[in-house]
Amino acid sequence: MATVETATEIRPFQVAVPEKALADLRRRIEATRLPSKELVEDRSQGVQLATIQQLATYWATGYDWRKAEAKLNALPQFTTLIDGVEIHFIHVRSEHKDALPLIMTHGWPGSVIELLETVGPLTDPSAHGGKAEDAFHLILPSLPGYAFSGEPVEVGWDLSRTARAWAELMDRLGYARYVAQGGDVGAGVSDAIGRLAPEGLIGIHTNLLVPALSGTMPTDTDEERGAAAQIAIFGQSGNGYFIEMATRPQTIGYALLDSPVALAAWMIDHDTDSYYKISHAFVDGEPVGNLTRDHILDNITGYWLTGTGASAARSYWEAYGPDAPATGREPLPTSPIPVGFTTFPGEIWRTPRSWAETAYPNLTYFNEVDRGGHFAAWEEPDLFSEELRAAFASVR
């Protein structure tokens, strides 16, 4: 009995980075060898030299990790062992009666840090222009191999396995009824948990239509053809990071663990909209929404200090790699539970409602908003929280 209790124990967690680790980070940044300037005037050759120079200078001389550490430690954090991996999560219970439990999953190159500004609007909506009855108990897990969670020590941690781990986590927390949200990799996990439909899950919401990456979507209307064209452009010139991590994560991992500037360049070179917003924050001092210099570096520094650049990259190999154990398996059935979807204008592609309905016959909520991009919860936390409150209103 004692062994079983230990195996399912939930332990408090605090972030405590030694000062020598921060000194080593600054030393490595200052010792970076930079390439010559790109030969084009845009990002078509990759992250621009001016952006990296400004980022590295601020990182080494103006940035303070201790503020991020204090923000994390001000929230209830825990770890628990699930299926052989130590899972880190933030768990904030709302003070409002009948709050709905929500497990929300980050993506790559994000972490729980990108979701921190949503904690207040989701757990205490009445203080942020919402209604008390729309409150959530919020669970923010770190994906296996990301930041404060442990690294898997065996292959097989695909999206479905992570989804099952999340169902186990919610069960351990005593939640018999809950909903799930995800973006980027988190959208894949939330899609999988919706299809698995574990007992207690009553609805999901995503803001990236993962099935559009692997399935055939209709192209009968101008809107559908526009979305297909955006995905095609992404596949032709925007998914270098995706291909490398899905096929050779270990190779890029050496740079990500050895050079903080290499890690930063790799992480900000995600999608065009987000890249230029991040670049403006450093080069022009003009952040867009919540994508400030400090918030961007909070996230990157979290990866560096935990040494999880390579293990996070392996999650793409597990989910999308041709050599992964999940390759060739029968796809999961259509989600039998209600599904909500929000499309943000700066996303890699603008999902038409018809595509969401094709992917999810049980679609119960769809909305297209006027601002925000791939990191919608990070960039526009208040708007993002409004969307989740609206999406899950019908299942409360």
Side-chain angles (χ1 to χ4, degrees):
M1 179 63 71
T3 302
V4 174
E5 290 175 352
T6 301
T8 60
E9 181 185 4
I10 294 175
R11 297 167 297 279
F13 177 86
Q14 291 269 283
V15 180
V17 174
E19 188 60 37
K20 65 180 181 180
L22 299 177
D24 177 67
L25 169 59
R26 289 189 288 269
R27 178 188 64 79
R28 287 172 179 265
I29 294 170
E30 292 166 351
T32 301
R33 290 200 308 169
L34 294 172
S36 58
K37 184 181 182 297
E38 64 279 356
L39 304 180
V40 294
E41 297 303 317
D42 57 18
R43 72 176 289 250
S44 59
Q45 289 190 339
V47 175
Q48 294 158 295
L49 180 62
T51 300
I52 280 296
Q53 287 175 323
Q54 292 297 321
L55 184 153
T57 298
Y58 183 71
W59 203 1
T61 63
Y63 171 72
D64 183 3
W65 163 257
R66 295 302 183 194
K67 293 181 180 179
E69 189 173 271
K71 186 185 296 186
L72 285 163
N73 288 339
L75 298 171
Q77 299 176 83
F78 305 90
T79 62
T80 189
L81 187 68
I82 301 178
D83 199 6
V85 173
E86 199 73 26
I87 299 297
H88 162 266
F89 63 99
I90 295 169
H91 183 199
V92 183
R93 290 187 59 86
S94 173
E95 295 183 358
H96 294 292
K97 184 180 179 181
D98 300 326
L100 179 64
L102 164 63
I103 184 166
M104 186 155 66
T105 312
H106 66 83
W108 185 92
S111 65
V112 292
I113 288 172
E114 73 176 280
L115 305 175
L116 295 184
E117 301 303 319
T118 67
V119 172
L122 290 173
T123 61
D124 189 13
S126 56
H128 296 266
K131 300 177 181 178
E133 57 264 32
D134 292 332
F136 295 94
H137 298 309
L138 193 58
I139 301 89
L140 306 177
S142 294
L143 287 163
Y146 285 68
F148 306 109
S149 279
E151 295 186 14
V153 295
E154 61 181 4
V155 298
W157 272 94
D158 58 6
L159 299 171
S160 295
R161 188 167 176 178
T162 302
R164 292 186 177 95
W166 281 192
E168 170 64 19
L169 175 60
M170 297 303 278
D171 185 61
R172 287 187 192 181
L173 293 175
Y175 290 127
R177 188 173 180 271
Y178 63 95
V179 293
Q181 144 67 27
D184 193 81
V185 175
V189 174
S190 298
D191 173 89
I193 199 171
R195 295 172 187 275
L196 292 168
E199 185 177 359
L201 182 68
I202 60 172
I204 68 167
H205 176 277
T206 74
N207 50 287
L208 182 73
L209 196 72
V210 174
L213 290 171
S214 57
T216 302
M217 294 293 163
T219 54
D220 300 322
T221 67
D222 289 342
E223 186 182 21
E224 292 169 345
R225 286 188 287 272
Q230 288 178 310
I231 292 178
I233 291 171
F234 172 71
Q236 292 162 4
S237 62
N239 68 341
Y241 74 91
F242 188 105
I243 293 173
E244 180 71 12
M245 294 198 298
T247 58
R248 294 294 186 271
Q250 191 72 12
T251 301
I252 190 61
Y254 297 108
L256 304 183
L257 270 291
D258 187 64
S259 166
V261 172
L263 175 68
W266 187 251
M267 290 176 68
I268 69 173
D269 192 18
H270 183 270
D271 65 280
T272 299
D273 178 76
S274 298
Y275 168 75
Y276 281 124
K277 288 172 179 174
I278 291 170
S279 180
H280 285 316
F282 286 99
V283 176
D284 306 313
E286 298 176 355
V288 177
N290 211 39
L291 289 176
T292 66
R293 294 186 302 176
D294 285 328
H295 287 158
I296 293 161
L297 286 174
D298 289 345
N299 183 57
I300 296 171
T301 307
Y303 273 71
W304 175 260
L305 294 173
T306 57
T308 50
S311 55
R314 291 186 200 121
S315 72
Y316 272 66
W317 185 91
E318 292 282 10
Y320 309 109
D323 299 316
T327 303
R329 288 182 187 165
E330 285 294 318
L332 294 173
T334 301
S335 174
I337 62 175
V339 176
F341 187 87
T342 301
T343 183
F344 291 85
E347 186 54 271
I348 299 171
W349 70 90
R350 296 177 69 131
T351 295
R353 183 184 185 107
S354 59
W355 280 20
E357 290 173 337
T358 298
Y360 301 114
N362 282 351
L363 188 75
T364 56
Y365 179 86
F366 180 89
N367 194 28
E368 183 173 351
V369 296
D370 60 0
R371 64 186 189 277
H374 185 76
F375 300 102
W378 199 2
E379 182 184 342
E380 299 284 350
D382 289 328
L383 173 62
F384 187 83
S385 300
E386 289 175 13
E387 280 300 298
L388 292 192
R389 292 196 295 264
F392 292 124
S394 65
V395 300
R396 283 183 178 270

Short mmCIF file of all heavy atoms in Angstrom, two decimals, residues 270-315:
data_model
loop_
_atom_site.label_atom_id
_atom_site.label_comp_id
_atom_site.label_asym_id
_atom_site.label_seq_id
_atom_site.Cartn_x
_atom_site.Cartn_y
_atom_site.Cartn_z
N HIS A 270 9.88 30.63 -35.34
CA HIS A 270 8.76 29.70 -35.41
C HIS A 270 7.84 30.01 -36.57
O HIS A 270 7.81 29.30 -37.57
CB HIS A 270 7.99 29.70 -34.09
CG HIS A 270 6.87 28.71 -34.05
ND1 HIS A 270 5.59 29.02 -34.45
CD2 HIS A 270 6.84 27.42 -33.66
CE1 HIS A 270 4.82 27.96 -34.32
NE2 HIS A 270 5.56 26.97 -33.83
N ASP A 271 7.07 31.08 -36.47
CA ASP A 271 6.18 31.47 -37.56
C ASP A 271 6.39 32.95 -37.83
O ASP A 271 6.87 33.69 -36.98
CB ASP A 271 4.72 31.18 -37.20
CG ASP A 271 4.24 32.02 -36.04
OD1 ASP A 271 4.53 31.67 -34.87
OD2 ASP A 271 3.58 33.04 -36.28
N THR A 272 6.05 33.38 -39.03
CA THR A 272 6.36 34.74 -39.47
C THR A 272 5.75 35.80 -38.58
O THR A 272 6.43 36.75 -38.16
CB THR A 272 5.90 34.94 -40.92
OG1 THR A 272 6.58 34.01 -41.77
CG2 THR A 272 6.20 36.36 -41.40
N ASP A 273 4.48 35.68 -38.27
CA ASP A 273 3.80 36.67 -37.46
C ASP A 273 4.45 36.81 -36.09
O ASP A 273 4.78 37.93 -35.66
CB ASP A 273 2.32 36.27 -37.30
CG ASP A 273 1.55 37.25 -36.42
OD1 ASP A 273 1.23 38.34 -36.89
OD2 ASP A 273 1.26 36.89 -35.26
N SER A 274 4.69 35.70 -35.40
CA SER A 274 5.29 35.75 -34.07
C SER A 274 6.72 36.27 -34.13
O SER A 274 7.15 37.05 -33.27
CB SER A 274 5.27 34.37 -33.42
OG SER A 274 3.95 33.91 -33.25
N TYR A 275 7.47 35.84 -35.15
CA TYR A 275 8.86 36.27 -35.26
C TYR A 275 8.96 37.79 -35.35
O TYR A 275 9.75 38.42 -34.64
CB TYR A 275 9.56 35.64 -36.46
CG TYR A 275 10.89 36.30 -36.73
CD1 TYR A 275 11.98 36.04 -35.91
CD2 TYR A 275 11.02 37.26 -37.74
CE1 TYR A 275 13.19 36.70 -36.11
CE2 TYR A 275 12.22 37.92 -37.93
CZ TYR A 275 13.30 37.63 -37.12
OH TYR A 275 14.49 38.30 -37.31
N TYR A 276 8.17 38.39 -36.23
CA TYR A 276 8.28 39.84 -36.40
C TYR A 276 7.80 40.59 -35.15
O TYR A 276 8.33 41.64 -34.81
CB TYR A 276 7.52 40.29 -37.64
CG TYR A 276 8.29 40.05 -38.93
CD1 TYR A 276 7.76 39.31 -39.96
CD2 TYR A 276 9.57 40.57 -39.08
CE1 TYR A 276 8.48 39.08 -41.13
CE2 TYR A 276 10.31 40.34 -40.23
CZ TYR A 276 9.75 39.60 -41.26
OH TYR A 276 10.48 39.38 -42.40
N LYS A 277 6.81 40.06 -34.46
CA LYS A 277 6.38 40.67 -33.21
C LYS A 277 7.50 40.61 -32.17
O LYS A 277 7.76 41.59 -31.45
CB LYS A 277 5.12 39.99 -32.69
CG LYS A 277 3.86 40.30 -33.51
CD LYS A 277 2.69 39.44 -33.07
CE LYS A 277 1.44 39.79 -33.89
NZ LYS A 277 0.31 38.87 -33.59
N ILE A 278 8.16 39.47 -32.06
CA ILE A 278 9.27 39.32 -31.12
C ILE A 278 10.43 40.22 -31.52
O ILE A 278 11.05 40.89 -30.68
CB ILE A 278 9.70 37.85 -31.05
CG1 ILE A 278 8.61 37.01 -30.38
CG2 ILE A 278 11.03 37.70 -30.31
CD1 ILE A 278 8.83 35.52 -30.46
N SER A 279 10.73 40.28 -32.83
CA SER A 279 11.80 41.12 -33.32
C SER A 279 11.55 42.59 -33.00
O SER A 279 12.44 43.32 -32.55
CB SER A 279 11.97 40.93 -34.84
OG SER A 279 13.02 41.73 -35.33
N HIS A 280 10.31 43.04 -33.21
CA HIS A 280 9.97 44.44 -32.90
C HIS A 280 10.18 44.75 -31.42
O HIS A 280 10.58 45.85 -31.05
CB HIS A 280 8.52 44.73 -33.30
CG HIS A 280 8.31 44.87 -34.77
ND1 HIS A 280 9.17 45.59 -35.58
CD2 HIS A 280 7.35 44.38 -35.59
CE1 HIS A 280 8.74 45.54 -36.83
NE2 HIS A 280 7.64 44.81 -36.86
N ALA A 281 9.88 43.77 -30.56
CA ALA A 281 10.05 44.00 -29.13
C ALA A 281 11.50 44.30 -28.78
O ALA A 281 11.79 45.14 -27.92
CB ALA A 281 9.55 42.78 -28.35
N PHE A 282 12.44 43.62 -29.44
CA PHE A 282 13.86 43.80 -29.14
C PHE A 282 14.50 44.92 -29.95
O PHE A 282 15.23 45.75 -29.41
CB PHE A 282 14.62 42.49 -29.36
CG PHE A 282 14.38 41.47 -28.29
CD1 PHE A 282 13.48 40.45 -28.49
CD2 PHE A 282 15.02 41.55 -27.07
CE1 PHE A 282 13.24 39.51 -27.50
CE2 PHE A 282 14.78 40.63 -26.07
CZ PHE A 282 13.89 39.60 -26.28
N VAL A 283 14.23 44.96 -31.25
CA VAL A 283 14.91 45.92 -32.13
C VAL A 283 14.30 47.32 -32.01
O VAL A 283 15.02 48.32 -31.99
CB VAL A 283 14.86 45.44 -33.59
CG1 VAL A 283 15.48 46.47 -34.53
CG2 VAL A 283 15.59 44.10 -33.72
N ASP A 284 12.98 47.38 -31.92
CA ASP A 284 12.30 48.68 -31.91
C ASP A 284 11.75 49.07 -30.55
O ASP A 284 11.22 50.17 -30.39
CB ASP A 284 11.14 48.65 -32.93
CG ASP A 284 11.61 48.24 -34.31
OD1 ASP A 284 12.63 48.79 -34.77
OD2 ASP A 284 10.96 47.37 -34.93
N GLY A 285 11.82 48.17 -29.58
CA GLY A 285 11.26 48.46 -28.27
C GLY A 285 9.76 48.58 -28.30
O GLY A 285 9.18 49.30 -27.48
N GLU A 286 9.11 47.88 -29.23
CA GLU A 286 7.66 47.98 -29.41
C GLU A 286 7.02 46.60 -29.29
O GLU A 286 6.78 45.92 -30.29
CB GLU A 286 7.33 48.59 -30.78
CG GLU A 286 7.86 50.01 -30.95
CD GLU A 286 7.59 50.54 -32.35
OE1 GLU A 286 7.08 49.77 -33.19
OE2 GLU A 286 7.90 51.72 -32.60
N PRO A 287 6.73 46.15 -28.07
CA PRO A 287 6.08 44.85 -27.92
C PRO A 287 4.65 44.87 -28.41
O PRO A 287 3.99 45.91 -28.38
CB PRO A 287 6.14 44.61 -26.40
CG PRO A 287 6.18 45.98 -25.81
CD PRO A 287 6.98 46.82 -26.78
N VAL A 288 4.19 43.74 -28.88
CA VAL A 288 2.80 43.58 -29.31
C VAL A 288 2.08 42.80 -28.22
O VAL A 288 2.43 41.66 -27.92
CB VAL A 288 2.71 42.83 -30.65
CG1 VAL A 288 1.24 42.62 -31.03
CG2 VAL A 288 3.43 43.62 -31.75
N GLY A 289 1.08 43.45 -27.61
CA GLY A 289 0.37 42.79 -26.53
C GLY A 289 1.33 42.42 -25.42
O GLY A 289 2.13 43.23 -24.94
N ASN A 290 1.29 41.18 -25.00
CA ASN A 290 2.08 40.70 -23.88
C ASN A 290 3.43 40.11 -24.29
O ASN A 290 4.16 39.57 -23.46
CB ASN A 290 1.27 39.63 -23.13
CG ASN A 290 1.59 39.60 -21.65
OD1 ASN A 290 1.78 40.63 -21.03
ND2 ASN A 290 1.63 38.40 -21.08
N LEU A 291 3.77 40.21 -25.58
CA LEU A 291 5.05 39.67 -26.06
C LEU A 291 6.16 40.69 -25.81
O LEU A 291 6.77 41.24 -26.73
CB LEU A 291 4.95 39.33 -27.55
CG LEU A 291 4.09 38.12 -27.90
CD1 LEU A 291 4.00 37.94 -29.41
CD2 LEU A 291 4.66 36.84 -27.27
N THR A 292 6.46 40.92 -24.55
CA THR A 292 7.51 41.85 -24.15
C THR A 292 8.87 41.16 -24.14
O THR A 292 8.96 39.92 -24.16
CB THR A 292 7.23 42.40 -22.75
OG1 THR A 292 7.34 41.33 -21.80
CG2 THR A 292 5.84 43.02 -22.68
N ARG A 293 9.94 41.95 -24.07
CA ARG A 293 11.28 41.38 -24.02
C ARG A 293 11.42 40.44 -22.82
O ARG A 293 11.96 39.33 -22.94
CB ARG A 293 12.33 42.49 -23.94
CG ARG A 293 12.44 43.37 -25.15
CD ARG A 293 13.60 44.36 -25.02
NE ARG A 293 13.48 45.20 -23.83
CZ ARG A 293 14.41 46.09 -23.43
NH1 ARG A 293 15.53 46.23 -24.15
NH2 ARG A 293 14.22 46.82 -22.34
N ASP A 294 10.96 40.90 -21.67
CA ASP A 294 11.12 40.09 -20.46
C ASP A 294 10.32 38.79 -20.55
O ASP A 294 10.82 37.72 -20.17
CB ASP A 294 10.69 40.89 -19.23
CG ASP A 294 11.72 41.93 -18.84
OD1 ASP A 294 12.91 41.70 -19.05
OD2 ASP A 294 11.32 42.99 -18.32
N HIS A 295 9.08 38.86 -21.02
CA HIS A 295 8.28 37.64 -21.11
C HIS A 295 8.87 36.64 -22.11
O HIS A 295 8.84 35.42 -21.89
CB HIS A 295 6.84 37.99 -21.50
CG HIS A 295 6.08 38.64 -20.39
ND1 HIS A 295 4.98 39.43 -20.61
CD2 HIS A 295 6.26 38.62 -19.05
CE1 HIS A 295 4.52 39.86 -19.46
NE2 HIS A 295 5.28 39.39 -18.49
N ILE A 296 9.39 37.15 -23.22
CA ILE A 296 10.01 36.27 -24.21
C ILE A 296 11.23 35.58 -23.60
O ILE A 296 11.42 34.36 -23.74
CB ILE A 296 10.40 37.07 -25.46
CG1 ILE A 296 9.14 37.57 -26.18
CG2 ILE A 296 11.24 36.22 -26.42
CD1 ILE A 296 9.39 38.72 -27.12
N LEU A 297 12.05 36.35 -22.90
CA LEU A 297 13.25 35.77 -22.30
C LEU A 297 12.94 34.91 -21.09
O LEU A 297 13.70 33.98 -20.78
CB LEU A 297 14.24 36.88 -21.93
CG LEU A 297 14.96 37.51 -23.13
CD1 LEU A 297 15.81 38.69 -22.71
CD2 LEU A 297 15.81 36.47 -23.86
N ASP A 298 11.85 35.17 -20.39
CA ASP A 298 11.43 34.25 -19.32
C ASP A 298 11.29 32.84 -19.87
O ASP A 298 11.75 31.86 -19.28
CB ASP A 298 10.08 34.69 -18.73
CG ASP A 298 10.18 35.96 -17.90
OD1 ASP A 298 11.29 36.36 -17.52
OD2 ASP A 298 9.11 36.55 -17.63
N ASN A 299 10.61 32.74 -21.01
CA ASN A 299 10.35 31.44 -21.61
C ASN A 299 11.63 30.77 -22.11
O ASN A 299 11.88 29.59 -21.84
CB ASN A 299 9.36 31.61 -22.76
CG ASN A 299 8.96 30.31 -23.41
OD1 ASN A 299 8.46 29.41 -22.75
ND2 ASN A 299 9.18 30.21 -24.70
N ILE A 300 12.46 31.53 -22.82
CA ILE A 300 13.71 30.97 -23.34
C ILE A 300 14.64 30.56 -22.20
O ILE A 300 15.25 29.49 -22.23
CB ILE A 300 14.40 31.98 -24.27
CG1 ILE A 300 13.52 32.26 -25.50
CG2 ILE A 300 15.76 31.46 -24.72
CD1 ILE A 300 14.01 33.41 -26.37
N THR A 301 14.73 31.42 -21.20
CA THR A 301 15.61 31.13 -20.07
C THR A 301 15.16 29.88 -19.31
O THR A 301 15.98 29.10 -18.82
CB THR A 301 15.68 32.33 -19.11
OG1 THR A 301 16.04 33.50 -19.86
CG2 THR A 301 16.72 32.11 -18.03
N GLY A 302 13.84 29.68 -19.24
CA GLY A 302 13.34 28.46 -18.61
C GLY A 302 13.83 27.21 -19.31
O GLY A 302 14.22 26.23 -18.65
N TYR A 303 13.84 27.23 -20.63
CA TYR A 303 14.38 26.10 -21.39
C TYR A 303 15.88 25.92 -21.09
O TYR A 303 16.36 24.80 -20.93
CB TYR A 303 14.20 26.33 -22.88
CG TYR A 303 12.90 25.88 -23.48
CD1 TYR A 303 11.71 26.55 -23.22
CD2 TYR A 303 12.85 24.80 -24.36
CE1 TYR A 303 10.51 26.16 -23.80
CE2 TYR A 303 11.66 24.39 -24.95
CZ TYR A 303 10.49 25.08 -24.66
OH TYR A 303 9.31 24.68 -25.24
N TRP A 304 16.61 27.06 -21.08
CA TRP A 304 18.05 26.96 -20.88
C TRP A 304 18.40 26.40 -19.51
O TRP A 304 19.20 25.47 -19.38
CB TRP A 304 18.72 28.33 -21.05
CG TRP A 304 20.17 28.26 -20.73
CD1 TRP A 304 20.78 28.63 -19.56
CD2 TRP A 304 21.19 27.68 -21.55
NE1 TRP A 304 22.12 28.34 -19.61
CE2 TRP A 304 22.41 27.75 -20.81
CE3 TRP A 304 21.21 27.11 -22.82
CZ2 TRP A 304 23.61 27.29 -21.33
CZ3 TRP A 304 22.42 26.65 -23.34
CH2 TRP A 304 23.60 26.74 -22.59
N LEU A 305 17.80 26.95 -18.48
CA LEU A 305 18.15 26.55 -17.11
C LEU A 305 17.77 25.11 -16.80
O LEU A 305 18.41 24.48 -15.95
CB LEU A 305 17.48 27.50 -16.12
CG LEU A 305 17.99 28.95 -16.17
CD1 LEU A 305 17.14 29.83 -15.26
CD2 LEU A 305 19.46 29.05 -15.80
N THR A 306 16.74 24.60 -17.46
CA THR A 306 16.34 23.20 -17.24
C THR A 306 17.00 22.24 -18.23
O THR A 306 16.84 21.02 -18.10
CB THR A 306 14.81 23.06 -17.35
OG1 THR A 306 14.38 23.55 -18.63
CG2 THR A 306 14.11 23.84 -16.25
N GLY A 307 17.71 22.78 -19.22
CA GLY A 307 18.41 21.93 -20.18
C GLY A 307 17.49 21.03 -20.98
O GLY A 307 17.82 19.87 -21.24
N THR A 308 16.34 21.57 -21.39
CA THR A 308 15.33 20.72 -22.04
C THR A 308 15.14 21.02 -23.53
O THR A 308 14.15 20.59 -24.12
CB THR A 308 13.98 20.86 -21.31
OG1 THR A 308 13.66 22.25 -21.15
CG2 THR A 308 14.03 20.21 -19.95
N GLY A 309 16.08 21.71 -24.15
CA GLY A 309 15.95 21.98 -25.58
C GLY A 309 15.86 20.72 -26.42
O GLY A 309 15.01 20.61 -27.32
N ALA A 310 16.70 19.73 -26.14
CA ALA A 310 16.70 18.49 -26.92
C ALA A 310 15.50 17.62 -26.61
O ALA A 310 14.86 17.07 -27.51
CB ALA A 310 17.99 17.72 -26.66
N SER A 311 15.17 17.47 -25.33
CA SER A 311 14.05 16.60 -24.96
C SER A 311 12.73 17.17 -25.47
O SER A 311 11.83 16.40 -25.86
CB SER A 311 14.00 16.39 -23.44
OG SER A 311 13.95 17.62 -22.75
N ALA A 312 12.59 18.51 -25.48
CA ALA A 312 11.38 19.10 -26.05
C ALA A 312 11.33 18.85 -27.55
O ALA A 312 10.27 18.55 -28.11
CB ALA A 312 11.34 20.60 -25.75
N ALA A 313 12.47 18.95 -28.21
CA ALA A 313 12.51 18.68 -29.66
C ALA A 313 12.09 17.25 -29.97
O ALA A 313 11.43 16.99 -30.99
CB ALA A 313 13.92 18.95 -30.20
N ARG A 314 12.44 16.32 -29.09
CA ARG A 314 12.07 14.92 -29.34
C ARG A 314 10.56 14.70 -29.34
O ARG A 314 10.07 13.71 -29.91
CB ARG A 314 12.72 14.02 -28.28
CG ARG A 314 14.22 13.91 -28.39
CD ARG A 314 14.78 12.89 -27.40
NE ARG A 314 16.20 13.13 -27.18
CZ ARG A 314 16.74 13.41 -26.00
NH1 ARG A 314 15.97 13.42 -24.91
NH2 ARG A 314 18.03 13.62 -25.88
N SER A 315 9.81 15.61 -28.71
CA SER A 315 8.35 15.44 -28.72
C SER A 315 7.80 15.54 -30.14
O SER A 315 6.77 14.93 -30.45
CB SER A 315 7.68 16.49 -27.82
OG SER A 315 7.73 17.79 -28.39
#
